[in-house]
Amino acid sequence: MTMQAFQQFYQQIAGSNLSHWLEVLPAQLADWQRQHKKDLQKWQKLLDKLPAIETDELDLKESVTIGATNSIDEYTRRQITGLLMQFKPWRKGPFHLHGIHLDTEWRSDWKWDRVRPHLSPLAGRKVLDVGCGSGYHLWRMLGEDAELVVGIDPFPLFLMQFLAIRHFYPAPHIHMLPLGVEQLPELKAFDTVFSMGVLYHRRSPIDFLYELKAQLKPGGELLLETLVVEGDEHTVLVSGERYAQMRNVWFIPSTAALTAWMKRVGFRHIRTVDISTTSTEEQRSTEWMTNHSLADYLDPGNSDKTIEGYPAPMRAVMIASV
């Protein structure tokens, strides 16, 4: 299924303004498959066991719902649930598959509800989501009638989760590739680029902003969602070894500082369209993600602070153009 999905993507972009990507992409993905051969074989066996079911109901506009509740019997429902449980932890969602509720760690639908009102219409646009995780938002972008939706994320498990969902609705215009943005050439071909929850994981946020800009066509739009702190254009939080128990958090700027960074890189029409504090209702442990979650990372005596004493997670949505 993995190689077949890649081949479908190659064919789809061959005659488009993304065709020059084919100069490097097949070799990159072949190398990735060699590196992860053992895990891919294990997961492929699980994917192959998923039953083929006709899609009798679909909603990608207000949720990610594939199939009606009464479309399968209880045995099949338990079979699918047991197989999908093998791909835990499920972090981004939720998904609804033939009455099975994948109650993921994140209520990613809440983030989408904050983002969607501020976007230029996605209908007919080529869209890239950098750091897409299991691809929840890719389906919502498809629900907005995007012409082509591409997600990238280097973690193999996320690709397998995406393929598991795509098994139940093999839409031809939605794809995920196991790559980091630093592996992409300067494509300058996408109408809209999303980056949600990635910037603070990058050791060089300025380089990352340049990498995002390099994927946009002239006049294209960036939607950037990231952790922020309160402050002026000089305020940037550089945490110690951990922030909210995450080791890979490097720079958390104020929206003013982030705006200055984006201007320096060459983005225009930069605006902050939403700021929200992450709640323990939006990010929490579930049966599909049984590890620790946000409630375990906040100060038990003061939920406005992380367990390390930093400001609790606050996220901003920024929109800009090139």
Side-chain angles (χ1 to χ4, degrees), residues 223-274:
L223 185 136
L224 178 67
E225 189 265 4
T226 188
L227 290 174
V228 294
V229 291
E230 295 181 349
D232 61 17
E233 64 270 23
H234 305 295
T235 304
V236 180
L237 171 63
V238 182
S239 66
E241 184 179 352
R242 292 173 182 257
Y243 171 86
Q245 289 298 287
M246 293 184 287
R247 291 183 181 273
N248 59 341
V249 173
W250 298 93
F251 299 94
I252 305 179
S254 66
T255 57
L258 183 51
T259 298
W261 293 355
M262 295 172 76
K263 285 181 179 178
R264 181 70 180 271
V265 168
F267 284 102
R268 302 179 296 118
H269 309 305
I270 304 161
R271 56 208 186 274
T272 303
V273 297
D274 184 82

Side-chain angles (χ1 to χ4, degrees), residues 55-220:
T55 302
D56 48 3
E57 183 176 303
L58 181 69
D59 176 24
L60 303 179
K61 185 75 173 180
E62 302 302 329
S63 65
V64 180
T65 299
I66 300 171
T69 300
N70 60 358
S71 59
I72 57 175
D73 57 30
E74 185 60 25
Y75 173 83
T76 304
R77 183 172 291 108
R78 290 180 180 179
Q79 177 192 17
I80 295 172
T81 300
L83 289 168
L84 295 178
M85 280 282 184
Q86 300 301 307
F87 294 97
K88 290 195 306 183
W90 288 83
R91 297 195 177 274
K92 303 297 175 65
F95 299 97
H96 301 271
L97 303 174
H98 297 281
I100 300 167
H101 178 202
L102 274 73
D103 187 16
T104 51
E105 178 187 15
W106 280 90
R107 288 298 306 265
S108 304
D109 52 335
W110 292 8
K111 182 180 293 189
W112 186 251
D113 288 343
R114 293 193 294 268
V115 164
R116 181 168 59 173
H118 307 289
L119 291 169
S120 297
L122 297 182
R125 294 168 78 97
K126 290 185 176 69
V127 180
L128 174 68
D129 187 3
V130 175
C132 65
S134 60
Y136 173 83
H137 290 117
L138 302 179
W139 295 102
R140 301 302 300 270
M141 295 166 196
L142 192 65
E144 296 295 316
D145 298 319
E147 174 189 317
L148 177 68
V149 179
V150 182
I152 61 169
D153 201 298
F155 293 100
L157 177 61
F158 294 155
L159 176 61
M160 296 303 111
Q161 291 173 340
F162 169 77
L163 291 175
I165 301 300
R166 194 172 185 258
H167 167 85
F168 295 99
Y169 180 57
H173 301 296
I174 181 171
H175 302 273
M176 181 176 168
L177 306 173
L179 301 171
V181 68
E182 68 280 358
Q183 295 174 274
L184 271 58
E186 293 190 8
L187 295 169
K188 298 180 179 179
F190 289 97
D191 301 287
T192 307
V193 169
F194 289 81
S195 171
M196 297 185 281
V198 181
L199 181 89
Y200 48 90
H201 291 314
R202 307 298 291 190
R203 295 184 184 185
S204 175
I206 302 298
D207 287 341
F208 180 63
L209 290 172
Y210 273 116
E211 289 163 349
L212 296 176
K213 183 170 176 279
Q215 308 314 317
L216 283 162
K217 64 191 298 186

Side-chain angles (χ1 to χ4, degrees), residues 282-299:
E282 184 172 359
Q283 183 188 9
R284 71 276 192 264
S285 301
T286 73
E287 66 174 330
W288 293 88
M289 204 299 293
T290 54
N291 304 335
H292 286 171
S293 192
L294 181 60
D296 304 291
Y297 306 148
L298 298 178
D299 184 333

